[in-house]
Amino acid sequence: MKNISLSPMAIHEQEFRVVGTFVKGYEMDEVNAFLDVIVEDYKVFIATIKSLQEQLDELNQALIGNGNTTSVEQLNYRVTQLEREMSQLKSR
């Protein structure tokens, strides 16, 4: 996917180096558990985006790809009708 810097695997495999011996830091198990949650959410987001993109592609194909210009024209006509109705409602 475009513009996504991290993959679930990259998040999961990210390691941080430990600096110093007496430096306070984060509990590694808590950080890892949190990253696991992020990875799972990320997978859901990616699957959702993919599904929505496929649905959009199918709809675009059905409207335009099949040469079904009457459907596009009907949609444009309906949009124009709705815009007029909204304009009339606003002017009341």
Side-chain angles (χ1 to χ4, degrees), residues 1-90:
M1 298 181 132
K2 293 181 181 179
N3 300 325
I4 295 180
S5 300
L6 297 173
S7 68
M9 188 58 71
I11 294 169
H12 183 71
E13 291 179 348
Q14 177 63 43
E15 292 187 17
F16 301 93
R17 58 190 173 98
V18 177
V19 180
T21 350
F22 299 102
V23 177
K24 289 185 179 182
Y26 296 103
E27 175 63 41
M28 286 183 62
D29 290 338
E30 288 180 23
V31 172
N32 287 333
F34 183 72
L35 288 175
D36 288 343
V37 171
I38 292 172
V39 166
E40 292 308 311
D41 284 352
Y42 215 81
K43 288 177 184 177
V44 171
F45 298 151
I46 288 173
T48 301
I49 291 169
K50 182 179 177 184
S51 173
L52 291 172
Q53 185 62 54
E54 288 171 356
Q55 291 175 40
L56 178 61
D57 292 345
E58 288 174 14
L59 289 171
N60 283 332
Q61 186 64 31
L63 287 174
I64 299 167
N66 295 331
N68 193 357
T69 55
T70 57
S71 293
V72 174
E73 291 169 0
Q74 289 172 345
L75 288 172
N76 285 332
Y77 177 74
R78 183 67 181 134
V79 167
T80 303
Q81 282 181 318
L82 291 170
E83 287 173 342
R84 284 185 195 141
E85 289 175 24
M86 284 179 47
S87 178
Q88 290 172 353
L89 289 171
K90 287 180 182 179

